[in-house]
Structures are given as structure tokens and as C-alpha cells.
């Protein structure tokens, strides 16, 4: 994915956005473009619901500033995401956007926003190019950088003593970042590297390859419905009992666990947050989310909630202004209490945070994701040094 140059003037967007979006008494408009349908629909729904929960807790405000959140479904179609972004910019005059789940959609949304001197705050997608040489002063990531998420699984695989790994992920930006990240920190041998399709539903061929390779374990990145399908078929093939998995949180969140059931017991994974965290901010968030939506929040929800808190903290300091320079000064202070505990922005405006090993275990007779240990502390990402801001 190559970012375009800053062509806002020639695209006619600068003049459209010349006036500030915030006027006295008017709410700050926030455009949320996210995936609400298809196999990844629950990911965007969790981000949306948690973000809106934060707004409701402030009675329609963030950081004491009235906000209006406009939500639309990109349906995991990059072209659709781009069309929504262009409409938000031109018709709604929105200069602050968030919400994208998948990196291939972000690749069409973020450039339009940034070229128009708008602000983009990512609650999930964090492709490598925006973290390094193509970083941007108006682009912030609240989750992690794609590679880092999977580097932590490589660290965990080392800790668990796995020497031979079979690795696979969908063939799109985040999938490629996933395998790159895992290999960067894994110290053993990758016996086979396979890319699946982003719309794949049948993994029989890949399961046969895994069986034939006989690795110590499998690393796989398949978020949302893709992960549910993969794990179900993996278990049905009898592989989960003989070849364990060491995965990142997108491949085993609470929704995936509920769908897969008993077969997932014993799966090892990594995350920056879990619903069993004992810090007060996390406990309050989990309780409020469950009370509002009658379900356990996934880490996607946690990221959506933290995104709202971070934007709110910035708006409080700018008194509702979304002038990019003023917003950046305020945003980089990260003056909010994160549900994950420690949080700071690195030099490329991506998180510096702690990472944890989790395991699927029984708690009071029910399977749950259980936090086991901290595996990395104050971890940034591998591209920050390439960023010049």
C-alpha cells in the first residue's frame, strides 16, 4: 500500500474543510467508518458500542465537549470505506475520524482524511507503512502496530519451548504484517508459511499441510469470523489435541471462544488487555459494557473505549478545537486513564505498552481467557525509528 502525496488542494478538499468543524454550541462531529457486516461484523460492532458507551457516560460528550458520532458500515470493502470517507469530508465537513477495523480498508480511508488535513485515530488497524517512513502528524494508533501484536506471539512461542512452527494468515496488509512480526521475534524454524484468502471459508488444504508438516505448534492470524471458522475446522480435524496453537488475541477473543467452545481449552495467546485485568478503570469498563450490552467485551471493545477516552482528553485540552496542531499537542499527552493500565505514545504516535500471556482455561467450570504473566514491558514497535515527525 503506497500513500499518495498530500494532494488536498488539487482534490478540492482543503477549501471544503477550511472552516473549523467546531463552533460555539455546536457538537464536534466524529466520523466512524467500521465493519458492521459479514464475518468481521462483530469486531466493528464492539468498537462502535464501546465508543458510544464512553459518549453516553458523559451524556453526549467527550472530555466535556458535545460530540456527534456518525457511524457507517464499510462492509470490509476498501472502496466502500473510501466513498464514506469522501462523503464525510465533503458533505458532513468532518475532520476527525476513527473506527476502521481492517488494514486494507484503512489504506483507502486514512490517506483521504490526512490529505485533507483531517485527523485519523485508529482503534484497531495499524499497518506497518503508517508506522515508519509514511507516518503522519495527524495519524494516531490506539491499539498497537500490526507487527508488534504478532511479535509478542513469537516471544511466547519461544517461552513455551516451541522450535518448529507452521504459520499462516490472510493475504492482505495486516496478514503480511502478522507473519513478518512473528518471524521477527520467533527464535526457531518456520517449517512452512502460508497465506489464506480474506474471504476463505474452507481450510481443508491448509489443515492437510499442517498435518503433513508436523510442527511443534501453529501460529495463525484470522480475526473475527475467519478465526471462528479456522478453529472449528482445526478442532474437527483432530489437530487441536495433537498440534497446539500459539496465537495473537484476534485469533482467540471471547467471541471466538464462545463459538468454538471446549475444543479451545489450552490455547495460548498474547494480548495487551484482558477482561480479567484488576485495575479499576478496566473493571469499571467491563462492568458498564456488560450492563449495557449483556455481553463480555472483546479487546476490540476495549480499544474502542480507550480511543474515545483519548479523543476526549484531547478535546478537553483544546476546548473542542480540532485544529491539527493544537489537537496533536493535546493528544500526545495521553492524559487519560487507560483500561489497559500503562499507556503512552511512541515517537511515531503508536502505543508503548505492556504485553501479556493468556491461556484458555476453566474458571468456575466455564472456559475463559485467563491472564497468566507479563511477557513484555514498555514495548514500542519495530518501525518507530524510521518515522520522522
Amino acid at each position: 500500500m503506497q500513500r499518495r502525496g498530500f494532494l488536498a488542494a488539487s482534490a478540492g478538499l482543503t477549501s471544503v474543510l477550511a472552516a473549523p468543524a467546531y463552533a460555539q454550541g455546536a457538537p464536534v462531529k466524529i466520523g466512524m467508518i467500521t465493519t458492521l457486516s459479514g464475518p468481521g461484523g462483530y469486531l466493528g460492532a464492539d468498537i462502535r458500542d464501546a465508543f458510544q458507551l464512553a459518549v453516553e457516560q458523559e451524556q453526549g460528550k467527550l472530555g466535556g465537549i458535545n460530540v456527534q458520532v456518525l457511524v457507517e458500515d464499510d462492509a470490509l470493502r476498501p472502496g466502500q470505506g473510501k466513498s464514506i470517507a469522501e462523503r464525510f469530508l465533503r458533505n458532513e465537513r468532518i475532520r476527525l475520524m476513527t473506527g476502521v477495523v481492517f488494514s486494507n480498508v484503512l489504506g483507502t480511508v486514512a490517506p483521504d482524511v490526512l490529505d485533507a488535513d483531517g485527523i485519523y485515530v485508529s482503534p484497531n488497524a495499524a499497518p506497518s507503512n503508517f508506522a515508519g517512513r509514511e507516518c503522519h502528524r495527524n495519524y494516531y494508533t490506539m491499539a498497537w502496530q500490526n507487527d508488534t501484536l504478532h511479535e509478542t506471539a513469537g516471544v511466547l512461542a519461544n517461552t513455551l519451548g516451541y522450535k518448529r512452527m507452521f504459520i499462516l494468515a490472510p493475504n492482505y496488509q495486516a496478514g503480511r504484517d502478522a507473519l513478518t512480526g512473528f518471524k521477527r521475534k520467533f527464535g526457531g524454524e518456520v517449517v512452512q508459511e502460508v497465506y489464506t484468502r480474506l474471504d476463505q471459508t474452507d481450510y481443508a488444504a491448509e489443515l492437510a499441510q499442517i498435518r503433513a508438516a508436523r510442527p511443534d505448534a501453529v501460529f495463525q492470524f484470522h480475526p473475527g469470523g475467519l478465526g471462528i471458522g479456522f478453529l472449528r475446522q482445526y478442532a474437527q480435524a483432530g489437530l487441536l489435541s495433537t498440534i497446539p496453537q500459539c496465537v495473537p488475541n484476534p485469533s482467540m477473543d471471547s467471541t471466538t471462544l464462545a463459538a468454538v467452545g471446549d475444543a479451545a481449552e489450552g490455547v495460548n495467546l498474547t494480548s495487551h488487555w484482558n477482561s480479567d485485568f484488576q485495575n479499576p478503570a478496566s473493571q469499571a469498563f467491563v462492568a458498564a459494557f456488560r450492563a449495557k450490552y449483556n455481553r463480555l467485551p472483546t479487546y476490540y471493545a476495549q480499544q474502542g473505549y480507550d480511543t474515545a477516552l483519548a479523543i476526549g482528553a484531547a478535546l478537553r485540552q483544546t476546548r473542542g478545537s480540532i485544529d491539527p496542531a493544537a489537537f496533536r499537542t493535546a493528544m500526545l499527552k495521553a492524559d487519560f486513564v487507560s483500561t489497559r493500565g500503562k499507556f503512552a505514545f511512541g515517537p511515531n504516535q503508536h502505543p508503548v505498552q505492556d504485553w501479556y500471556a493468556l491461556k484458555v482455561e476453566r474458571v468456575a467450570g466455564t472456559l475463559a481467557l485467563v491472564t497468566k504473566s507479563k511477557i513484555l514491558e514498555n514495548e514500542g514497535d519495530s518501525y518507530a525509528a524510521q518515522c520522522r515527525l
Side-chain angles (χ1 to χ4, degrees):
M1 179 175 61
Q2 295 296 321
R3 283 208 54 246
R4 298 165 298 169
F6 301 111
L7 303 176
S10 62
L13 294 174
T14 299
S15 59
V16 173
L17 298 175
Y22 178 76
Q24 189 67 33
V28 173
K29 289 185 178 182
I30 301 173
M32 177 173 285
I33 303 168
T34 194
T35 303
L36 297 172
S37 56
Y42 80 82
L43 314 184
D46 262 18
I47 290 172
R48 175 202 62 195
D49 291 351
F51 194 99
Q52 291 181 335
L53 173 64
V55 175
E56 289 177 16
Q57 287 175 331
E58 281 200 56
Q59 300 180 320
K61 299 179 180 181
L62 286 177
I65 304 299
N66 289 320
V67 297
Q68 179 185 3
V69 184
L70 284 72
V71 182
E72 294 219 20
D73 179 17
D74 60 49
L76 220 177
R77 298 190 183 102
Q80 186 161 317
K82 178 180 174 65
S83 295
I84 297 168
E86 290 174 346
R87 178 158 41 84
F88 276 173
L89 289 165
R90 292 183 181 278
N91 299 348
E92 299 292 343
R93 304 183 78 182
I94 296 174
R95 295 178 65 188
L96 174 58
M97 296 195 207
T98 186
V100 173
V101 179
F102 290 87
S103 292
N104 56 333
V105 178
L106 185 73
T108 64
V109 169
D112 276 351
V113 176
L114 301 177
D115 287 354
D117 202 28
I119 298 164
Y120 188 82
V121 184
S122 179
N124 190 71
S128 54
N129 55 317
F130 285 147
R133 293 185 177 87
E134 296 179 43
C135 63
H136 193 283
R137 298 174 72 86
N138 293 355
Y139 174 87
Y140 309 85
T141 293
M142 290 302 304
W144 21 256
Q145 192 279 315
N146 283 353
D147 296 38
T148 310
L149 171 67
H150 309 290
E151 288 172 6
T152 64
V155 171
L156 181 58
N158 295 334
T159 302
L160 294 170
Y162 298 142
K163 304 297 184 185
R164 303 174 68 254
M165 296 289 296
F166 189 109
I167 66 175
L168 65 166
N171 190 14
Y172 77 117
Q173 182 69 48
R176 294 187 290 273
D177 286 346
L179 300 194
T180 298
F182 182 84
K183 290 186 294 183
R184 185 178 288 120
K185 292 293 179 80
F186 176 57
E189 175 192 1
V190 173
V191 297
Q192 198 160 340
E193 179 177 334
V194 171
Y195 284 101
T196 56
R197 298 192 317 275
L198 194 54
D199 62 350
Q200 191 163 330
T201 58
D202 184 353
Y203 297 96
E206 288 79 12
L207 299 182
Q209 290 175 293
I210 292 170
R211 193 186 301 277
R214 302 180 66 179
D216 292 342
V218 166
F219 165 84
Q220 56 91 8
F221 165 63
H222 290 90
L226 297 175
I228 292 172
F230 183 87
L231 275 162
R232 280 178 172 166
Q233 293 174 44
Y234 196 87
Q236 289 165 1
L239 290 170
L240 209 49
S241 59
T242 57
I243 303 175
Q245 291 194 16
C246 178
V247 299
N249 207 172
S251 300
M252 179 54 70
D253 59 38
S254 56
T255 301
T256 306
L257 176 57
V260 174
D262 291 347
E265 187 170 2
V267 169
N268 290 287
L269 62 147
T270 59
S271 186
H272 63 307
W273 176 84
N274 192 26
S275 58
D276 67 358
F277 274 21
Q278 296 301 302
N279 69 74
S282 181
Q283 290 179 316
F285 161 64
V286 172
F289 190 93
R290 295 189 79 160
K292 173 73 176 178
Y293 301 111
N294 195 32
R295 68 182 190 271
L296 189 68
T298 63
Y299 79 93
Y300 297 99
Q302 177 269 330
Q303 292 167 182
Y305 191 77
D306 267 14
T307 298
L309 296 183
I311 289 174
L315 290 176
R316 183 184 301 278
Q317 293 178 49
T318 66
R319 298 183 179 182
S321 170
I322 50 173
D323 170 76
F327 188 90
R328 182 170 186 261
T329 297
M331 186 74 168
L332 292 181
K333 293 178 182 178
D335 188 19
F336 69 99
V337 181
S338 172
T339 52
R340 73 196 78 179
K342 291 190 300 181
F343 177 92
F345 284 110
N348 58 352
Q349 301 176 181
H350 286 60
V352 175
Q353 60 193 339
D354 298 341
W355 287 87
Y356 300 84
L358 281 56
K359 191 170 184 176
V360 178
E361 295 181 341
R362 293 195 178 275
V363 178
T366 302
L367 285 178
L369 302 178
V370 178
T371 304
K372 305 301 290 184
S373 63
K374 184 186 294 185
I375 57 173
L376 289 170
E377 190 166 7
N378 296 325
E379 186 74 5
D381 67 85
S382 299
Y383 298 94
Q386 302 174 19
C387 175
R388 297 288 182 265
L389 289 178

